[in-house]
């Protein structure tokens, strides 16, 4: 009997890398994003025994991180990422910080040197936990193979728990090669759809606001919660316009809806100017009023009451005093709130219906005016950002996913969007360049290899052009559109607004032109295996109302 038990143990023993892959399969992982090195070779070898898990090869770690980020956001599930020791983790830190700001659920791992010789300071060794800590929810090194089931399960759980975000595990080579009979147990099923309290009181507060004097803010948490339908129902019940975040990760509301009012500006003064039209705001999700440059005063003007609903208790009352804020999952809580709203607002339904009709008329007028402005700029010698945005959106249509990192045109692009989908548009929430191109690759994978268009500035395109190779290698239907103005246009425009700057007086700028030599994006794309099309100029050239323009900026 003892011999048979020993034989059974011997047969069931497997390497740590195989244990890890078993856990990943049980967690429903489809892809491992990464760029391998020596410390990752036990995991890479184990993948030959696990064909149901596909390795997505990025040619640089920053691209691998953003691919995982784009995948997680599109698939609405944690992505699994494997980096290479201290150097690879360092390469990925910029996009890891982007993921942290965007609250993207990711299980980030990195291979570590064999722990038996770390005392001798071997090549590639570094304190991975300390390096990762500023950009993740928590970081830990796995000490033995038997710890893998608990720590990996914990990582997937904590990455998804509000506030979502990346977590980090260091994987020493000896742990990945250690033999063990440890069981992986089963996957935990956790219902996070907690319904907020005080919803009857919240409904009474919102209904008490004079019709037309309440605004709703649909933050990124609405996208995570898939709550666009419930937000639209609440907005219609209150006759309230719906604004997007000032610096969004998504537009989580149908841009064709008459109550969609666009995104807030990125300075407090501009936000306060808009909010001065209202007596109260109802903010769904946190961190929606993000400022970039300082202006005097608060984004929320005096006399404007704040109401909030978020799954993240840390965001409630964090910056602005709230009259009532409630903690709960947005979709589930709004579903529970709507019957209370219906009862509380029944005396004002006529006024709300009038507001909805007025919003529809104003929205149509705004779209006509915007199109007329673009028409007026069509025959200029150089195509303007407004025209570039209009033509890009018109070509893309309302159904194809857009990943945007072209800051010079992004504000215009959002204004032209006209889609029934609350999932069409994604943006670089973290602000660190080099996210867009690889994120588009991950987005396509997260949507089941669906078509994606990536709009990227020419400067941003140089941070992670390696994504072109992965898109070509995986045969993904991703189109990369490089908005090529040969300069850091956003920085120049800011400097021009500063009357005391030498640059504003002389129109001369240091380190803001990308020319002499110009970058040949078409050749770059072809070198990476992507098809490319365009004209001979590195700037747009206008012609025949834009239908025959030469476009150097397109490659895909």
């Amino acid at each position: 009997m003892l011999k048979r038990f020993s034989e059974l143990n011997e047969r069931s023993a497997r390497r740590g890398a195989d244990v890890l892959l078993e856990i990943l399969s049980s967690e429903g992982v489809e892809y491992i994003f990464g760029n391998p090195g020596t410390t990752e070779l036990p995991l890479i070898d184990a993948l030959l025994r696990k064909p149901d898990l596909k390795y997505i090869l990025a040619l640089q770690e920053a691209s691998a991180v953003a691919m995982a980020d784009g995948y997680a956001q599109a698939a609405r599930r944690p992505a699994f990422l494997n980096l290479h020791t201290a150097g690879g983790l360092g390469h990925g830190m910029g996009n890891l910080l982007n993921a942290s700001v965007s609250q993207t659920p990711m299980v980030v791992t990195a291979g570590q040197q064999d722990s038996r010789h770390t005392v001798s300071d071997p090549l590639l060794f570094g304190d991975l936990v300390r390096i990762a800590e500023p950009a993740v929810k928590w970081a830990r090194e796995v000490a033995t193979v038997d710890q893998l089931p608990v720590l990996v399960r914990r990582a997937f759980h904590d990455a998804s728990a509000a506030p979502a975000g990346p977590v980090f595990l260091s994987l020493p080579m000896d742990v990945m090669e250690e033999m063990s009979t440890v069981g992986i147990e089963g996957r935990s099923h956790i219902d996070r759809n907690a319904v907020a309290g005080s919803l009857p009181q919240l409904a009474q507060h919102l209904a008490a606001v004079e019709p037309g004097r309440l605004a709703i803010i649909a933050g990124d948490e609405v996208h995570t919660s898939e709550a666009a339908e419930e937000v639209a129902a609440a907005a219609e019940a209150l006759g309230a316009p719906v604004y997007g975040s000032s610096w969004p990760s998504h537009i989580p509301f149908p841009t064709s809806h008459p109550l969609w009012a666009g995104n807030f500006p990125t300075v407090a003064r501009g936000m306060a100017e808009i909010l001065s039209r209202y007596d109260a705001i109802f903010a769904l999700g946190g961190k929606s009023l993000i400022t970039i440059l300082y202006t005097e005063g608060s984004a929320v003007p005096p006399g404007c009451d704040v109401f909030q609903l978020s799954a993240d208790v840390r965001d409630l009352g964090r910056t602005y005093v709230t009259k009532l804020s409630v903690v709960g999952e947005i979709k589930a809580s709004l579903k529970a709130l709507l019957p209370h709203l219906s009862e509380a607002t029944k005396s004002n339904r006529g006024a709300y219906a009038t507001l909805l009709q007025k919003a529809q008329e104003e929205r149509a007028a705004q779209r006509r005016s915007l199109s007329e402005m673009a028409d007026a700029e069509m025959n200029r010698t150089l195509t303007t950002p407004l025209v570039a945005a209009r033509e890009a959106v018109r070509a893309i249509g309302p159904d194809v996913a857009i990943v945007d990192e072209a800051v010079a045109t992004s504000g215009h692009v959002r204004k032209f969007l006209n889609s029934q989908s609350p999932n069409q548009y994604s943006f670089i929430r973290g602000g660190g360049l080099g996210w867009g191109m690889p994120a588009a690759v991950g987005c396509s994978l997260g949507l089941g290899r669906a078509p994606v268009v990536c709009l990227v500035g020419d400067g941003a395109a140089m941070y992670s052009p390696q994504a072109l190779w992965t898109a070509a290698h995986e045969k993904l239907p991703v189109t990369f559109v490089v908005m090529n103005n040969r300069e850091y246009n956003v920085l120049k425009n800011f400097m021009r607004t500063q009357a005391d700057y030498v640059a504003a007086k002389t129109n001369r700028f240091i380190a803001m032109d990308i020319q002499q030599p110009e970058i040949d994006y078409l050749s770059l794309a072809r070198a990476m295996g992507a098809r490319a099309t365009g004209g001979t100029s590195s700037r747009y050239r206008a012609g025949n109302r834009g239908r025959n323009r030469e476009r150097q900026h397109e490659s895909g």
Side-chain angles (χ1 to χ4, degrees):
M1 185 72 177
L2 288 175
K3 181 179 179 181
R4 289 183 61 191
F5 182 74
S6 175
E7 288 173 349
L8 179 64
N9 275 352
E10 186 177 341
R11 285 197 301 270
S12 63
R14 63 267 194 242
R15 297 182 188 279
D18 294 295
V19 173
L20 174 60
L21 295 183
E22 287 177 26
I23 301 168
L24 298 187
S25 289
S26 71
E27 288 284 343
V29 171
E30 299 176 282
Y31 302 109
I32 295 176
F33 296 89
N35 179 269
T38 51
T39 53
E40 291 71 52
L41 294 183
L43 179 63
I44 296 299
D45 188 65
L47 279 168
L48 293 171
R49 298 185 289 274
K50 199 72 173 172
D52 58 315
L53 284 171
K54 182 171 177 57
Y55 191 92
I56 302 298
L57 174 59
L59 300 186
Q60 207 262 11
E61 285 90 348
S63 291
V65 175
M67 287 176 194
D69 188 338
Y71 170 84
Q73 291 193 39
R76 292 188 172 87
R77 61 189 304 168
F80 185 84
L81 171 66
N82 186 232
L83 304 176
H84 176 50
T85 62
L89 178 58
H91 285 159
M93 280 298 288
N95 274 327
L96 194 54
L97 288 167
N98 279 336
S100 180
V101 173
S102 298
Q103 298 185 353
T104 304
M106 289 169 29
V107 176
V108 183
T109 62
Q112 175 63 290
Q113 272 284 13
D114 190 308
S115 59
R116 291 169 296 187
H117 75 143
T118 57
V119 68
S120 64
D121 298 324
L123 186 68
L124 305 176
F125 175 68
D127 190 340
L128 303 189
V129 169
R130 289 185 64 190
I131 294 171
E133 279 177 338
V136 297
K137 295 176 72 172
W138 55 259
R140 181 163 178 173
E141 185 161 283
V142 181
T144 70
V145 64
D146 290 348
Q147 291 181 351
L148 279 171
V150 171
L151 291 180
V152 176
R153 299 284 190 201
R154 183 180 300 168
F156 275 92
H157 166 74
D158 288 355
S160 297
V167 299
F168 177 79
L169 288 172
S170 170
L171 305 174
M173 282 188 79
D174 52 314
V175 172
M176 290 292 94
E177 294 178 334
E178 182 183 352
M179 301 297 291
S180 175
T181 60
V182 67
I184 66 167
E185 303 301 333
R187 180 184 180 188
S188 297
H189 296 277
I190 303 165
D191 185 346
R192 296 188 176 90
N193 296 322
V195 176
S198 301
L199 294 181
Q201 296 95 311
L202 179 60
Q204 290 295 330
H205 279 298
L206 297 176
V209 179
E210 180 183 341
R213 301 290 295 176
L214 172 70
I216 292 175
I217 305 176
D220 289 321
E221 209 174 315
V222 173
H223 174 269
T224 306
S225 183
E226 299 185 71
E229 183 178 344
E230 289 73 20
V231 176
E236 291 167 11
L238 293 162
V242 178
Y243 290 89
S245 301
S246 56
W247 194 258
S249 183
H250 298 273
I251 294 181
F253 192 78
T255 50
S256 62
H257 196 287
L259 288 173
W260 172 245
N263 292 86
F264 279 109
T266 57
V267 295
R269 182 183 298 138
M271 298 177 204
E273 183 178 342
I274 291 173
L275 292 179
S276 65
R277 309 168 197 167
Y278 304 102
D279 295 331
I281 56 174
F282 181 27
L284 300 169
K287 296 183 176 67
S288 293
L289 301 179
I290 297 172
T291 56
I292 298 178
L293 297 170
Y294 175 77
T295 56
E296 198 72 32
S298 170
V300 178
C304 184
D305 292 330
V306 176
F307 301 95
Q308 292 174 287
L309 166 60
S310 174
D312 183 2
V313 68
R314 303 178 314 165
D315 275 333
L316 303 179
R318 178 179 176 84
T319 304
Y320 307 104
V321 175
T322 69
K323 199 164 186 178
L324 176 61
S325 292
V326 293
V327 183
E329 198 273 338
I330 288 183
K331 187 182 184 75
S333 298
L334 284 179
K335 278 186 174 181
L337 175 66
L338 285 170
H340 298 294
L341 270 184
S342 179
E343 177 64 24
T345 59
K346 60 184 179 182
S347 62
N348 281 327
R349 284 178 188 165
Y352 296 138
T354 299
L355 287 170
L356 181 59
Q357 179 61 37
K358 182 181 178 183
Q360 197 160 8
E361 294 168 357
E362 290 178 349
R363 191 87 176 109
Q366 289 170 359
R367 290 196 176 278
R368 285 194 301 270
S369 176
L370 192 63
S371 187
E372 288 169 1
M373 289 171 60
D375 285 342
E377 297 181 8
M378 285 297 291
N379 291 318
R380 294 189 182 180
T381 304
L382 298 178
T383 299
T384 64
L386 182 68
V387 172
R390 197 262 297 270
E391 296 305 299
V393 171
R394 183 157 64 180
I396 294 166
D399 302 317
V400 175
I402 298 171
V403 175
D404 192 358
E405 195 186 10
V407 179
T409 55
S410 59
H412 300 304
V413 165
R414 292 175 208 149
K415 291 175 183 176
F416 282 111
L417 293 175
N418 190 21
S419 174
Q420 294 181 5
S421 170
N423 305 314
Q424 184 182 27
Y425 182 84
S426 303
F427 188 66
I428 178 173
R429 171 71 179 269
L433 294 184
W435 171 87
M437 296 178 77
V441 172
C443 179
S444 179
L445 290 168
L447 297 175
R449 296 177 175 262
V452 173
V453 173
C454 175
L455 306 178
V456 61
D458 51 336
M462 296 311 300
Y463 279 71
S464 48
Q466 303 91 344
L468 289 163
W469 183 89
T470 303
H473 180 69
E474 293 293 334
K475 297 180 173 59
L476 294 173
V478 180
T479 300
F480 300 93
V481 183
V482 179
M483 298 293 187
N484 183 9
N485 55 23
R486 296 185 303 181
E487 64 183 12
Y488 295 144
N489 176 264
V490 173
L491 300 183
K492 284 187 177 182
N493 286 340
F494 170 74
M495 295 186 81
R496 288 182 180 115
T497 65
Q498 307 304 302
D500 59 329
Y501 276 28
V502 174
K505 298 171 183 176
T506 64
N507 202 37
R508 292 189 298 113
F509 305 91
I510 294 174
M512 293 185 190
D513 292 292
I514 311 174
Q515 51 186 323
Q516 297 177 350
E518 297 177 15
I519 297 168
D520 187 344
Y521 293 94
L522 297 179
S523 295
L524 178 62
R526 291 174 185 135
M528 295 286 182
R531 290 176 296 164
T533 182
T536 57
S537 171
S538 62
R539 295 199 185 195
Y540 284 106
R541 293 190 182 277
N544 193 22
R545 298 182 64 79
R547 299 189 185 277
N548 298 314
R549 279 198 305 280
E550 298 171 338
R551 297 175 183 173
Q552 165 104 7
H553 71 292
E554 292 190 9
S555 56

